[in-house]
Amino acid sequence: MKEILHRLEMEGINSGVCTGADWLQSTGDDLTSTSPIDGSSIATVRQASVQDLQKVAARAREAFEEWRMVPAPKRGEIVRRIGQAVRERKQELGALISLEVGKIRVEAEGEVQEMIDICDFAVGQSRMLYGRTMHSERPRHRMYEQWHPLGPIGVITAFNFPLAVWSWNAMIALVAGDTVIWKPSSKAALCAVAVMKISGRIVQSHGLPEGILNLVVGKGDTIGEQLIADRRISLISATGSVPMGRHVSERVAARLGKTILELGGNNAIVVTANADLELAVRAILFGAVGTAGQRCTTTRRVIAHNRIYDALLERLVNGYRQVKIGNPLEDGTLMGPLIDRVAVASMQEALGQLKREGGRVLYGGEVLSGGIFAAGTYVAPCICEAHNDFTVVQRETFAPILYLIRYKTLEEAIELHNNVPQGLTSAIFTNDLREAEVFLSHMGSDCGIANVNIGTSGAEIGGAFGGEKETGGGRESGSDAWKAYMRRQTNTINWSGEMPLAQGIRFELG
Ligand code: NAD
């Protein structure tokens, strides 16, 4: 553990506030990060006070004036160098993610790769911040639109993707010409400090002012509250639970600020009678058990056709039996711990409620104890029989619980599928073209992401990522998600020597 921290230039006690290369003497409380693997202390972060945040926000606003004038491809060059530096630290950053949030090593390194990929993507995007041109209805006039940098943006992130979510936002925001203030989850503060040590220094190494890429570690109800209320911050991008997002949305809307909301999911896979069950089982296993069920895109419901329900269940139980649970840093482990004991308790509470509502646990669900499981953070992933309208099924429990639900017709399956408050990711497994097309059509899945013969989790960065309904409607990462980080301006230029008005209006003296 010490070796990993050393290689990432981390100390026993670290400042949790920086404005790039400058790490402030933060004046908030100490936060000691403990590993969900064994409950041991990893290191301490000195959190930001409200005064620290004020300083950071002022610097971010000031730096914006200069950063926005750097040509976008030159901003892209800085992002390219961040990506390069992160490539060189991929293993260490991956190990720290495993230590702090309990992800298995391959998934943790995959997350670092996601940051590298978004850096590459953003570099290309820096030369493609395209506006359109339009034909004016007035003679000898030209109309076009252009995209300008927006301002300082606040990025609030969840614990479960401690690098990826910030980098999706920050790397695109940087090429867009925005400055960024990051408030990470307190459960993943060390990962934030580590990646900021690498990135902040690079941003500042070009004679640019401090304040372009900033970090404030602090509690949601103090630092988070202050951040979302700050009128200097043009956009708040918030990733986390639905209640958090609802609150952030209301607060930012009250000052007519902009938001990107990336909130909880309740993702389902429809497995039809025409599915390749082998493929479906592999996708469900990764989707439901991967990251110990702690992804926003985790498969939480399987809606299975009556005819294949029993065969699917048998194969799933067989697969679940083979999942090796244990230390996420060890080769062969497929499932590590949950983030903390609170998450374990909330899983147990959900299973209790499931039973009260008439559901059944078909496999797993128990808390593991003793030996390597002594931290009390390990559980057996769980398969349950349930009805879609159970209140426990309607909400997101951030744990590896999979609800199996039966259906008879595709219309019924889609009805069940869409009948939850959230709308993030979705999938259908079928070899029938018509079933697949119905699922993807207007009358099909109502989610932001809909897949065929691919599971619900593990999205690529090239597409726009996000979901509908209570998931918040935000889009991040690829496609044209960059537009949310810029302001659009429509321009009309008159080169005629006349003053014609639109819509043929005549407004002349005499
Ligand atoms: P959480 O809602 O508990 O916390 C998320 C962030 O919000 C943290 O940084 C927290 O400090 C901050 N926060 C809390 N109260 C705040 C306030 N009043 N003002 C400002 N900030 C505040 O979520 P979590 O437990 O860290 O993460 C799990 C949740 O995140 C799940 O619901 C999951 O689905 C969701 N998630 C969504 C996506 C997505 O892209 N849709 C991605 C990852 C996680």
Side-chain angles (χ1 to χ4, degrees), residues 335-384:
M335 196 179 117
L338 298 192
I339 185 68
D340 52 26
R341 287 178 180 216
V342 176
V344 173
S346 107
M347 176 177 175
Q348 297 310 303
E349 187 275 319
L351 293 179
Q353 187 176 343
L354 171 88
K355 288 175 198 157
R356 286 195 295 281
E357 292 193 70
R360 275 198 307 151
V361 174
L362 303 174
Y363 178 86
E366 57 276 11
V367 180
L368 306 176
S369 57
I372 58 162
F373 302 129
T377 48
Y378 294 84
V379 294
C382 181
I383 304 173
C384 306

Side-chain angles (χ1 to χ4, degrees), residues 455-468:
T456 59
S457 69
E460 296 179 30
I461 57 109
F465 182 89
E468 301 299 327

Side-chain angles (χ1 to χ4, degrees), residues 366-423:
E366 57 276 11
V367 180
L368 306 176
S369 57
I372 58 162
F373 302 129
T377 48
Y378 294 84
V379 294
C382 181
I383 304 173
C384 306
E385 191 170 67
H387 289 292
N388 200 63
D389 56 3
F390 288 174
T391 51
V392 72
V393 176
Q394 291 282 312
R395 67 171 207 234
E396 178 197 50
T397 301
F398 220 50
I401 303 176
L402 181 67
Y403 302 115
L404 290 193
I405 297 155
R406 292 174 185 268
Y407 82 88
K408 290 199 190 85
T409 66
L410 188 59
E411 290 67 29
E412 183 193 359
I414 291 171
E415 165 78 21
L416 291 166
H417 176 276
N418 291 347
N419 192 12
V420 288
Q422 314 82 351

Side-chain angles (χ1 to χ4, degrees), residues 17 30 63 164 178 180 186 188 212 352 381 396-397 401 482 499:
V17 186
D30 281 355
D178 303 334
V180 180
S186 303
I212 294 170
E396 178 197 50
T397 301
I401 303 176
W482 59 270
M499 187 50 69

Side-chain angles (χ1 to χ4, degrees), residues 105-364:
R105 197 187 271 269
V106 283
E107 285 192 65
E109 287 188 12
E111 175 165 359
V112 185
Q113 186 60 44
E114 218 172 299
M115 171 160 180
I116 296 166
D117 292 345
I118 199 71
C119 287
D120 288 349
F121 183 92
V123 176
Q125 192 70 69
S126 71
R127 290 182 186 268
M128 296 186 292
L129 303 172
Y130 300 136
R132 295 165 187 253
T133 63
M134 304 90 187
H135 285 255
S136 170
E137 65 186 63
R138 288 170 281 193
R140 296 174 189 242
H141 280 57
R142 182 162 73 85
M143 265 178 87
Y144 76 112
E145 70 183 14
Q146 53 179 340
W147 293 86
H148 291 309
L150 186 63
I153 73 159
V155 180
I156 295 170
T157 54
F159 79 84
N160 65 328
F161 276 93
L163 258 60
V165 169
W166 164 73
S167 61
W168 294 353
N169 283 280
M171 298 306 123
I172 301 289
L174 282 184
V175 299
D178 303 334
T179 55
V180 180
I181 304 174
W182 180 15
K183 197 215 83 59
S185 164
S186 303
K187 296 176 191 167
L190 292 175
C191 290
V193 171
V195 75
M196 273 300 297
K197 291 224 172 198
I198 297 168
S199 317
R201 189 184 303 139
I202 287 174
V203 176
Q204 302 317 144
S205 66
H206 285 66
L208 290 159
E210 288 287 327
I212 294 170
L213 214 47
N214 307 276
L215 176 72
V216 283
V217 175
K219 292 200 182 87
D221 55 10
T222 51
I223 295 303
E225 280 297 325
Q226 194 69 30
L227 186 70
I228 60 181
D230 195 320
R231 290 180 172 274
R232 289 168 292 191
I233 297 170
S234 308
L235 167 74
I236 296 285
S237 174
T239 300
S241 57
V242 169
M244 181 283 295
R246 185 172 283 121
H247 174 75
V248 168
S249 169
E250 285 168 7
R251 290 300 302 270
V252 180
R255 63 176 174 91
L256 298 180
K258 293 186 176 182
T259 48
I260 298 175
L261 299 173
E262 297 282 354
L263 312 176
N266 193 348
N267 319 296
I269 296 182
V270 175
V271 184
T272 81
N274 302 305
D276 178 333
L277 283 193
E278 185 55 35
L279 279 193
V281 167
R282 280 162 58 186
I284 296 167
L285 262 176
F286 177 62
V289 176
T291 330
Q294 298 170 115
R295 286 191 185 216
C296 52
T297 54
T298 289
T299 308
R300 309 222 172 266
R301 298 174 296 144
V302 164
I303 301 166
H305 192 276
N306 251 336
R307 221 179 315 143
I308 50 86
Y309 184 97
D310 292 335
L312 181 68
L313 173 61
E314 193 184 319
R315 285 180 193 227
L316 278 175
V317 170
N318 186 31
Y320 269 56
R321 280 212 177 97
Q322 295 170 52
V323 171
K324 188 174 167 232
I325 304 165
N327 187 328
L329 285 161
E330 277 171 19
D331 287 346
T333 301
L334 282 186
M335 196 179 117
L338 298 192
I339 185 68
D340 52 26
R341 287 178 180 216
V342 176
V344 173
S346 107
M347 176 177 175
Q348 297 310 303
E349 187 275 319
L351 293 179
Q353 187 176 343
L354 171 88
K355 288 175 198 157
R356 286 195 295 281
E357 292 193 70
R360 275 198 307 151
V361 174
L362 303 174
Y363 178 86

